[in-house]
Amino acid sequence: MAEKKSDRTKAAIRTAARAVFASVGYERATIRDIARAADIDPAMVIRYFGSKDGLFADSASFDLSLPPDLDEAPNLAGARLAAHFITVWEHDDGGFAVLLRSAASNPVAAAQIAAVLGEQLLPAVAALVGPQDAPLRAALIASQMLGLALTRYVLRLGPAAAMSHDEIVAGIGPTLQFYLYGSLKP
C-alpha cells in the first residue's frame, strides 16, 4: 500500500520538529521555524498537530524499550540496564534529546520525561526488586541515566561524550546495580 501524501507531510513535520526542538529547545522553537525546516506552509503544522504543544507532545515521544528479561541474571542487571540505555540513546532519532533539552524550562517536557520513567522504568524496576522500594530505586537510576544523557548527548562534555559504550557500561553498571539491590538505608 502506497504511503499517503498526508503521512509523508506529517513525517516531514515530525522530523523537522525534532531537529528544531533539539537544536534550540521548546521555548525558542517556533511553528515558522519548524515549517521552514520541513519546507511547508506553517498552516500545515497547525492543521496536522493543532499547536506547538501538540506537535511537541507528538515529536518528543520516547520508548525506552526496556528488555523484559532483566531478572534472568540479577547480578548483571545494572550493566544490562546501562548498556540498554546507551544503545537506545545512540539509535534515537531525536525524541529523547528533544525531551531532555526542553525539560529544564518546559513543564510539558518535564511531565513527559516523568511519564516515560513512571510508565516504563518503574514497572521494570518493580519487577526486579518488588513494589515497595521500586519508586526510590527507579528515581536513583533515572537520576544517574538522565545525568549521563545530559552530559553526553546534550552538553557533549568531553570525557562523557568521548567514552565508548563499554567504558560507560563499566563505569555506570555497578552504580545501577547498587541502586537496584544495594542497601539504601543510612
Side-chain angles (χ1 to χ4, degrees):
M1 182 172 171
E3 185 180 35
K4 292 189 232 173
K5 183 177 180 188
S6 62
D7 292 337
R8 288 191 306 270
T9 301
K10 283 178 81 169
I13 294 168
R14 197 175 284 120
T15 298
R18 284 184 172 161
V20 172
F21 286 136
S23 174
V24 301
Y26 175 85
E27 300 300 329
R28 291 182 39 213
T30 68
I31 293 293
R32 287 189 187 282
D33 293 338
I34 294 165
R36 189 176 312 111
D39 197 27
I40 61 163
D41 187 275
M44 296 299 284
V45 176
I46 300 303
R47 175 181 175 197
Y48 287 115
F49 296 96
S51 66
K52 182 172 141 180
D53 283 343
L55 176 58
F56 181 81
D58 181 89
S59 66
S61 62
F62 190 74
D63 184 1
L64 292 174
S65 301
L66 290 168
D69 58 353
L70 286 171
D71 61 344
E72 288 182 6
N75 61 322
L76 299 176
R80 290 184 67 209
L81 265 178
H84 180 78
F85 274 105
I86 298 305
T87 299
V88 167
W89 292 336
E90 302 268 322
H91 296 95
D92 177 36
D93 63 357
F96 190 74
V98 167
L99 281 174
L100 195 56
R101 182 175 296 279
S102 302
S105 63
N106 181 274
V108 173
Q112 200 153 353
I113 285 181
V116 166
L117 296 173
E119 295 166 7
Q120 297 178 45
L121 180 61
L122 180 58
V125 172
L128 293 173
V129 302
Q132 184 175 348
D133 288 342
L136 175 58
R137 292 178 186 279
L140 290 169
I141 291 167
S143 72
Q144 188 72 46
M145 298 315 297
L146 291 174
L148 175 64
L150 180 67
T151 57
R152 184 173 172 86
Y153 301 106
V154 175
L155 301 175
R156 292 185 172 88
L157 296 180
M163 291 174 74
S164 73
H165 179 97
D166 291 341
E167 288 172 324
I168 293 171
V169 171
I172 301 295
T175 302
L176 299 186
Q177 188 72 21
F178 177 79
Y179 288 160
L180 282 168
Y181 298 110
S183 173
L184 301 177
K185 296 178 182 179

